[in-house]
mmCIF file of all heavy atoms in Angstrom:
data_model
loop_
_atom_site.group_PDB
_atom_site.id
_atom_site.type_symbol
_atom_site.label_atom_id
_atom_site.label_comp_id
_atom_site.label_asym_id
_atom_site.label_seq_id
_atom_site.Cartn_x
_atom_site.Cartn_y
_atom_site.Cartn_z
ATOM 1 N N GLU A 26 153.810 -110.300 193.746
ATOM 2 C CA GLU A 26 154.180 -109.962 195.113
ATOM 3 C C GLU A 26 153.177 -108.941 195.670
ATOM 4 O O GLU A 26 152.862 -107.959 194.982
ATOM 5 C CB GLU A 26 155.605 -109.372 195.154
ATOM 6 C CG GLU A 26 156.047 -109.019 196.528
ATOM 7 C CD GLU A 26 157.364 -108.307 196.519
ATOM 8 O OE1 GLU A 26 157.755 -107.745 195.463
ATOM 9 O OE2 GLU A 26 158.039 -108.249 197.597
ATOM 10 N N PRO A 27 152.691 -109.123 196.895
ATOM 11 C CA PRO A 27 151.829 -108.121 197.520
ATOM 12 C C PRO A 27 152.571 -106.791 197.675
ATOM 13 O O PRO A 27 153.788 -106.761 197.979
ATOM 14 C CB PRO A 27 151.461 -108.723 198.879
ATOM 15 C CG PRO A 27 151.750 -110.163 198.692
ATOM 16 C CD PRO A 27 152.878 -110.309 197.753
ATOM 17 N N GLY A 28 151.871 -105.672 197.479
ATOM 18 C CA GLY A 28 152.422 -104.385 197.711
ATOM 19 C C GLY A 28 152.591 -104.068 199.168
ATOM 20 O O GLY A 28 151.888 -104.622 200.012
ATOM 21 N N GLU A 29 153.533 -103.231 199.527
ATOM 22 C CA GLU A 29 153.780 -102.863 200.906
ATOM 23 C C GLU A 29 152.564 -102.107 201.450
ATOM 24 O O GLU A 29 151.889 -101.356 200.738
ATOM 25 C CB GLU A 29 155.015 -101.966 201.049
ATOM 26 C CG GLU A 29 156.325 -102.716 200.809
ATOM 27 C CD GLU A 29 157.550 -101.867 201.012
ATOM 28 O OE1 GLU A 29 157.374 -100.595 200.934
ATOM 29 O OE2 GLU A 29 158.580 -102.363 201.225
ATOM 30 N N GLU A 30 152.328 -102.264 202.787
ATOM 31 C CA GLU A 30 151.236 -101.547 203.410
ATOM 32 C C GLU A 30 151.764 -101.141 204.775
ATOM 33 O O GLU A 30 152.365 -101.897 205.492
ATOM 34 C CB GLU A 30 149.996 -102.484 203.563
ATOM 35 C CG GLU A 30 148.776 -101.746 204.116
ATOM 36 C CD GLU A 30 147.524 -102.623 204.073
ATOM 37 O OE1 GLU A 30 147.661 -103.801 203.704
ATOM 38 O OE2 GLU A 30 146.426 -102.089 204.352
ATOM 39 N N ARG A 31 151.528 -99.873 205.038
ATOM 40 C CA ARG A 31 152.004 -99.380 206.408
ATOM 41 C C ARG A 31 151.103 -98.182 206.770
ATOM 42 O O ARG A 31 150.396 -97.579 205.988
ATOM 43 C CB ARG A 31 153.429 -98.975 206.309
ATOM 44 C CG ARG A 31 153.684 -97.714 205.487
ATOM 45 C CD ARG A 31 155.115 -97.440 205.116
ATOM 46 N NE ARG A 31 156.121 -97.859 206.053
ATOM 47 C CZ ARG A 31 157.461 -97.896 205.762
ATOM 48 N NH1 ARG A 31 157.809 -97.512 204.550
ATOM 49 N NH2 ARG A 31 158.315 -98.234 206.643
ATOM 50 N N GLU A 32 151.243 -97.824 208.066
ATOM 51 C CA GLU A 32 150.552 -96.664 208.581
ATOM 52 C C GLU A 32 151.628 -95.592 208.877
ATOM 53 O O GLU A 32 152.639 -95.892 209.516
ATOM 54 C CB GLU A 32 149.810 -97.046 209.882
ATOM 55 C CG GLU A 32 148.804 -96.038 210.327
ATOM 56 C CD GLU A 32 147.870 -96.567 211.443
ATOM 57 O OE1 GLU A 32 148.191 -97.640 211.969
ATOM 58 O OE2 GLU A 32 146.879 -95.918 211.703
ATOM 59 N N ILE A 33 151.392 -94.435 208.403
ATOM 60 C CA ILE A 33 152.381 -93.356 208.594
ATOM 61 C C ILE A 33 151.756 -92.165 209.226
ATOM 62 O O ILE A 33 150.527 -91.911 209.126
ATOM 63 C CB ILE A 33 153.072 -92.975 207.231
ATOM 64 C CG1 ILE A 33 152.052 -92.388 206.240
ATOM 65 C CG2 ILE A 33 153.821 -94.120 206.651
ATOM 66 C CD1 ILE A 33 152.630 -91.865 205.002
ATOM 67 N N SER A 34 152.551 -91.364 209.910
ATOM 68 C CA SER A 34 152.085 -90.119 210.471
ATOM 69 C C SER A 34 152.822 -88.968 209.755
ATOM 70 O O SER A 34 154.005 -89.049 209.471
ATOM 71 C CB SER A 34 152.330 -90.054 211.977
ATOM 72 O OG SER A 34 153.695 -90.212 212.276
ATOM 73 N N LEU A 35 152.116 -87.880 209.481
ATOM 74 C CA LEU A 35 152.625 -86.723 208.822
ATOM 75 C C LEU A 35 152.573 -85.531 209.767
ATOM 76 O O LEU A 35 151.551 -85.360 210.493
ATOM 77 C CB LEU A 35 151.852 -86.394 207.566
ATOM 78 C CG LEU A 35 151.725 -87.596 206.488
ATOM 79 C CD1 LEU A 35 150.809 -87.171 205.377
ATOM 80 C CD2 LEU A 35 153.106 -88.016 206.030
ATOM 81 N N GLU A 36 153.600 -84.742 209.748
ATOM 82 C CA GLU A 36 153.631 -83.546 210.609
ATOM 83 C C GLU A 36 154.267 -82.401 209.850
ATOM 84 O O GLU A 36 155.374 -82.538 209.311
ATOM 85 C CB GLU A 36 154.469 -83.886 211.832
ATOM 86 C CG GLU A 36 154.648 -82.784 212.861
ATOM 87 C CD GLU A 36 155.487 -83.241 214.022
ATOM 88 O OE1 GLU A 36 155.025 -84.168 214.722
ATOM 89 O OE2 GLU A 36 156.525 -82.678 214.238
ATOM 90 N N VAL A 37 153.563 -81.326 209.727
ATOM 91 C CA VAL A 37 154.034 -80.163 208.959
ATOM 92 C C VAL A 37 154.756 -79.161 209.889
ATOM 93 O O VAL A 37 154.194 -78.782 210.936
ATOM 94 C CB VAL A 37 152.898 -79.440 208.242
ATOM 95 C CG1 VAL A 37 153.460 -78.199 207.498
ATOM 96 C CG2 VAL A 37 152.248 -80.377 207.268
ATOM 97 N N LYS A 38 155.976 -78.778 209.568
ATOM 98 C CA LYS A 38 156.678 -77.762 210.262
ATOM 99 C C LYS A 38 156.989 -76.695 209.221
ATOM 100 O O LYS A 38 157.718 -76.932 208.238
ATOM 101 C CB LYS A 38 157.969 -78.267 210.847
ATOM 102 C CG LYS A 38 157.816 -79.278 211.996
ATOM 103 C CD LYS A 38 159.060 -79.686 212.571
ATOM 104 C CE LYS A 38 158.921 -80.709 213.686
ATOM 105 N NZ LYS A 38 160.206 -81.106 214.241
ATOM 106 N N LEU A 39 156.445 -75.501 209.391
ATOM 107 C CA LEU A 39 156.650 -74.446 208.402
ATOM 108 C C LEU A 39 158.133 -74.119 208.318
ATOM 109 O O LEU A 39 158.868 -74.118 209.308
ATOM 110 C CB LEU A 39 155.885 -73.166 208.814
ATOM 111 C CG LEU A 39 154.335 -73.289 208.786
ATOM 112 C CD1 LEU A 39 153.706 -71.950 209.130
ATOM 113 C CD2 LEU A 39 153.869 -73.696 207.395
ATOM 114 N N ILE A 40 158.567 -73.822 207.081
ATOM 115 C CA ILE A 40 160.003 -73.497 206.870
ATOM 116 C C ILE A 40 160.108 -71.966 206.780
ATOM 117 O O ILE A 40 159.526 -71.333 205.908
ATOM 118 C CB ILE A 40 160.528 -74.194 205.643
ATOM 119 C CG1 ILE A 40 160.428 -75.688 205.777
ATOM 120 C CG2 ILE A 40 161.909 -73.736 205.303
ATOM 121 C CD1 ILE A 40 160.860 -76.475 204.593
ATOM 122 N N ALA A 41 160.887 -71.391 207.705
ATOM 123 C CA ALA A 41 161.105 -69.955 207.684
ATOM 124 C C ALA A 41 162.516 -69.714 208.133
ATOM 125 O O ALA A 41 163.125 -70.457 208.846
ATOM 126 C CB ALA A 41 160.105 -69.238 208.532
ATOM 127 N N ASP A 42 163.052 -68.485 207.742
ATOM 128 C CA ASP A 42 164.383 -68.138 208.159
ATOM 129 C C ASP A 42 164.346 -67.613 209.590
ATOM 130 O O ASP A 42 165.222 -67.939 210.401
ATOM 131 C CB ASP A 42 164.950 -67.064 207.260
ATOM 132 C CG ASP A 42 165.118 -67.543 205.802
ATOM 133 O OD1 ASP A 42 165.729 -68.619 205.635
ATOM 134 O OD2 ASP A 42 164.632 -66.877 204.878
ATOM 135 N N VAL A 43 163.335 -66.812 209.878
ATOM 136 C CA VAL A 43 163.261 -66.146 211.176
ATOM 137 C C VAL A 43 161.841 -66.402 211.779
ATOM 138 O O VAL A 43 160.837 -66.297 211.030
ATOM 139 C CB VAL A 43 163.506 -64.661 211.073
ATOM 140 C CG1 VAL A 43 163.447 -63.967 212.451
ATOM 141 C CG2 VAL A 43 164.886 -64.377 210.373
ATOM 142 N N GLY A 44 161.832 -66.743 213.041
ATOM 143 C CA GLY A 44 160.504 -66.916 213.706
ATOM 144 C C GLY A 44 160.229 -65.806 214.720
ATOM 145 O O GLY A 44 161.144 -65.428 215.497
ATOM 146 N N LEU A 45 159.021 -65.344 214.743
ATOM 147 C CA LEU A 45 158.572 -64.369 215.742
ATOM 148 C C LEU A 45 158.000 -65.125 216.927
ATOM 149 O O LEU A 45 157.019 -65.873 216.733
ATOM 150 C CB LEU A 45 157.568 -63.418 215.168
ATOM 151 C CG LEU A 45 157.998 -62.455 214.045
ATOM 152 C CD1 LEU A 45 156.808 -61.726 213.503
ATOM 153 C CD2 LEU A 45 159.034 -61.459 214.577
ATOM 154 N N VAL A 46 158.587 -64.918 218.073
ATOM 155 C CA VAL A 46 158.017 -65.618 219.276
ATOM 156 C C VAL A 46 157.686 -64.564 220.361
ATOM 157 O O VAL A 46 158.235 -63.449 220.336
ATOM 158 C CB VAL A 46 159.000 -66.660 219.855
ATOM 159 C CG1 VAL A 46 159.265 -67.787 218.892
ATOM 160 C CG2 VAL A 46 160.325 -66.007 220.280
ATOM 161 N N GLY A 47 156.789 -64.897 221.196
ATOM 162 C CA GLY A 47 156.428 -63.973 222.289
ATOM 163 C C GLY A 47 155.089 -64.456 222.871
ATOM 164 O O GLY A 47 154.442 -65.317 222.353
ATOM 165 N N TYR A 48 154.719 -63.776 223.973
ATOM 166 C CA TYR A 48 153.458 -64.136 224.596
ATOM 167 C C TYR A 48 152.264 -63.610 223.755
ATOM 168 O O TYR A 48 152.424 -62.716 222.891
ATOM 169 C CB TYR A 48 153.388 -63.526 226.017
ATOM 170 C CG TYR A 48 153.806 -64.522 227.091
ATOM 171 C CD1 TYR A 48 155.198 -64.890 227.212
ATOM 172 C CD2 TYR A 48 152.912 -65.173 227.888
ATOM 173 C CE1 TYR A 48 155.592 -65.774 228.116
ATOM 174 C CE2 TYR A 48 153.311 -66.072 228.850
ATOM 175 C CZ TYR A 48 154.654 -66.409 228.961
ATOM 176 O OH TYR A 48 155.047 -67.332 229.877
ATOM 177 N N PRO A 49 151.091 -64.119 223.971
ATOM 178 C CA PRO A 49 149.911 -63.666 223.237
ATOM 179 C C PRO A 49 149.692 -62.158 223.421
ATOM 180 O O PRO A 49 150.036 -61.570 224.472
ATOM 181 C CB PRO A 49 148.757 -64.400 223.916
ATOM 182 C CG PRO A 49 149.323 -65.629 224.485
ATOM 183 C CD PRO A 49 150.695 -65.243 224.930
ATOM 184 N N ASN A 50 149.359 -61.477 222.349
ATOM 185 C CA ASN A 50 149.108 -60.068 222.337
ATOM 186 C C ASN A 50 150.340 -59.195 222.378
ATOM 187 O O ASN A 50 150.287 -58.001 222.737
ATOM 188 C CB ASN A 50 148.132 -59.655 223.457
ATOM 189 C CG ASN A 50 147.099 -58.624 223.005
ATOM 190 O OD1 ASN A 50 146.878 -58.462 221.805
ATOM 191 N ND2 ASN A 50 146.458 -57.960 223.945
ATOM 192 N N ALA A 51 151.502 -59.814 222.120
ATOM 193 C CA ALA A 51 152.776 -59.071 222.172
ATOM 194 C C ALA A 51 152.938 -58.161 220.934
ATOM 195 O O ALA A 51 153.751 -57.235 220.894
ATOM 196 C CB ALA A 51 153.970 -59.973 222.297
ATOM 197 N N GLY A 52 152.132 -58.468 219.863
ATOM 198 C CA GLY A 52 152.203 -57.642 218.664
ATOM 199 C C GLY A 52 152.945 -58.309 217.504
ATOM 200 O O GLY A 52 153.377 -57.649 216.557
ATOM 201 N N LYS A 53 153.104 -59.642 217.549
ATOM 202 C CA LYS A 53 153.824 -60.333 216.473
ATOM 203 C C LYS A 53 153.163 -60.246 215.141
ATOM 204 O O LYS A 53 153.753 -60.051 214.118
ATOM 205 C CB LYS A 53 153.991 -61.854 216.891
ATOM 206 C CG LYS A 53 154.738 -62.068 218.222
ATOM 207 C CD LYS A 53 154.938 -63.538 218.497
ATOM 208 C CE LYS A 53 153.568 -64.255 218.721
ATOM 209 N NZ LYS A 53 152.788 -63.708 219.838
ATOM 210 N N SER A 54 151.829 -60.418 215.126
ATOM 211 C CA SER A 54 151.115 -60.395 213.862
ATOM 212 C C SER A 54 151.146 -58.963 213.247
ATOM 213 O O SER A 54 151.299 -58.805 212.014
ATOM 214 C CB SER A 54 149.609 -60.754 214.035
ATOM 215 O OG SER A 54 149.533 -62.162 214.440
ATOM 216 N N THR A 55 151.043 -57.939 214.109
ATOM 217 C CA THR A 55 151.174 -56.593 213.600
ATOM 218 C C THR A 55 152.550 -56.344 213.020
ATOM 219 O O THR A 55 152.729 -55.698 211.995
ATOM 220 C CB THR A 55 150.901 -55.574 214.748
ATOM 221 O OG1 THR A 55 149.618 -55.886 215.358
ATOM 222 C CG2 THR A 55 150.903 -54.144 214.225
ATOM 223 N N LEU A 56 153.589 -56.880 213.679
ATOM 224 C CA LEU A 56 154.928 -56.723 213.168
ATOM 225 C C LEU A 56 155.145 -57.415 211.848
ATOM 226 O O LEU A 56 155.770 -56.951 210.917
ATOM 227 C CB LEU A 56 155.932 -57.260 214.205
ATOM 228 C CG LEU A 56 157.423 -57.212 213.843
ATOM 229 C CD1 LEU A 56 157.869 -55.786 213.559
ATOM 230 C CD2 LEU A 56 158.283 -57.791 214.957
ATOM 231 N N LEU A 57 154.526 -58.614 211.699
ATOM 232 C CA LEU A 57 154.595 -59.366 210.462
ATOM 233 C C LEU A 57 153.940 -58.577 209.306
ATOM 234 O O LEU A 57 154.471 -58.431 208.194
ATOM 235 C CB LEU A 57 153.905 -60.724 210.556
ATOM 236 C CG LEU A 57 153.919 -61.595 209.300
ATOM 237 C CD1 LEU A 57 155.285 -62.025 208.920
ATOM 238 C CD2 LEU A 57 152.985 -62.804 209.492
ATOM 239 N N SER A 58 152.753 -58.015 209.558
ATOM 240 C CA SER A 58 152.060 -57.248 208.545
ATOM 241 C C SER A 58 152.807 -55.922 208.226
ATOM 242 O O SER A 58 152.693 -55.482 207.076
ATOM 243 C CB SER A 58 150.623 -56.925 209.036
ATOM 244 O OG SER A 58 150.636 -56.053 210.147
ATOM 245 N N ARG A 59 153.475 -55.352 209.199
ATOM 246 C CA ARG A 59 154.218 -54.080 208.959
ATOM 247 C C ARG A 59 155.458 -54.352 208.120
ATOM 248 O O ARG A 59 155.818 -53.519 207.290
ATOM 249 C CB ARG A 59 154.601 -53.483 210.323
ATOM 250 C CG ARG A 59 155.544 -52.311 210.257
ATOM 251 C CD ARG A 59 155.045 -51.128 209.569
ATOM 252 N NE ARG A 59 153.902 -50.504 210.231
ATOM 253 C CZ ARG A 59 153.280 -49.397 209.870
ATOM 254 N NH1 ARG A 59 153.687 -48.786 208.731
ATOM 255 N NH2 ARG A 59 152.299 -48.924 210.530
ATOM 256 N N SER A 60 156.101 -55.513 208.323
ATOM 257 C CA SER A 60 157.399 -55.747 207.681
ATOM 258 C C SER A 60 157.293 -56.528 206.394
ATOM 259 O O SER A 60 158.260 -56.768 205.716
ATOM 260 C CB SER A 60 158.347 -56.444 208.655
ATOM 261 O OG SER A 60 157.760 -57.662 209.161
ATOM 262 N N SER A 61 156.132 -57.091 206.112
ATOM 263 C CA SER A 61 155.971 -57.899 204.910
ATOM 264 C C SER A 61 154.630 -57.637 204.271
ATOM 265 O O SER A 61 153.830 -56.805 204.753
ATOM 266 C CB SER A 61 156.061 -59.395 205.231
ATOM 267 O OG SER A 61 154.952 -59.861 205.929
ATOM 268 N N ALA A 62 154.301 -58.379 203.218
ATOM 269 C CA ALA A 62 152.996 -58.205 202.575
ATOM 270 C C ALA A 62 151.940 -59.179 203.163
ATOM 271 O O ALA A 62 150.810 -59.251 202.642
ATOM 272 C CB ALA A 62 153.100 -58.444 201.084
ATOM 273 N N ALA A 63 152.276 -59.927 204.220
ATOM 274 C CA ALA A 63 151.365 -60.813 204.818
ATOM 275 C C ALA A 63 150.222 -60.068 205.444
ATOM 276 O O ALA A 63 150.393 -58.951 205.958
ATOM 277 C CB ALA A 63 152.033 -61.722 205.888
ATOM 278 N N THR A 64 149.011 -60.679 205.458
ATOM 279 C CA THR A 64 147.889 -60.011 206.070
ATOM 280 C C THR A 64 147.224 -60.910 207.123
ATOM 281 O O THR A 64 146.095 -61.480 206.949
ATOM 282 C CB THR A 64 146.823 -59.679 205.005
ATOM 283 O OG1 THR A 64 146.478 -60.884 204.277
ATOM 284 C CG2 THR A 64 147.411 -58.627 204.040
ATOM 285 N N PRO A 65 147.915 -61.136 208.268
ATOM 286 C CA PRO A 65 147.292 -61.992 209.296
ATOM 287 C C PRO A 65 146.134 -61.261 209.969
ATOM 288 O O PRO A 65 146.008 -60.067 209.945
ATOM 289 C CB PRO A 65 148.462 -62.228 210.255
ATOM 290 C CG PRO A 65 149.309 -60.998 210.110
ATOM 291 C CD PRO A 65 149.176 -60.627 208.615
ATOM 292 N N LYS A 66 145.305 -62.103 210.617
ATOM 293 C CA LYS A 66 144.162 -61.514 211.402
ATOM 294 C C LYS A 66 144.740 -60.862 212.672
ATOM 295 O O LYS A 66 145.507 -61.467 213.337
ATOM 296 C CB LYS A 66 143.183 -62.600 211.782
ATOM 297 C CG LYS A 66 142.003 -62.129 212.563
ATOM 298 C CD LYS A 66 141.027 -63.257 212.886
ATOM 299 C CE LYS A 66 139.873 -62.755 213.750
ATOM 300 N NZ LYS A 66 138.968 -63.828 214.137
ATOM 301 N N ILE A 67 144.311 -59.612 212.867
ATOM 302 C CA ILE A 67 144.853 -58.879 214.040
ATOM 303 C C ILE A 67 143.727 -58.346 214.860
ATOM 304 O O ILE A 67 142.747 -57.744 214.319
ATOM 305 C CB ILE A 67 145.793 -57.702 213.557
ATOM 306 C CG1 ILE A 67 146.979 -58.267 212.708
ATOM 307 C CG2 ILE A 67 146.256 -56.892 214.715
ATOM 308 C CD1 ILE A 67 147.766 -57.156 212.045
ATOM 309 N N ALA A 68 143.797 -58.550 216.177
ATOM 310 C CA ALA A 68 142.814 -57.974 217.082
ATOM 311 C C ALA A 68 143.461 -57.798 218.442
ATOM 312 O O ALA A 68 144.524 -58.322 218.726
ATOM 313 C CB ALA A 68 141.578 -58.870 217.174
#
């Protein structure tokens, strides 16, 4: 029997308990680095 063949699309959604939202330059990355061990790029 021929094997199945199909085209699929993949989409990654990060899994987190809490999300930081806000306008650009509101200080989200700084808050993340202050409250956790993450080291995002900040400027």
Side-chain angles (χ1 to χ4, degrees):
E26 181 188 18
E29 290 182 338
E30 186 170 7
R31 72 195 325 170
E32 195 168 12
I33 61 174
S34 59
L35 305 175
E36 180 180 298
V37 178
K38 294 182 180 180
L39 293 182
I40 298 177
D42 297 310
V43 182
L45 293 173
V46 296
Y48 265 74
N50 221 17
K53 300 183 298 300
S54 296
T55 305
L56 180 57
L57 178 68
S58 65
R59 169 64 65 176
S60 56
S61 72
T64 56
K66 181 181 179 182
I67 300 171

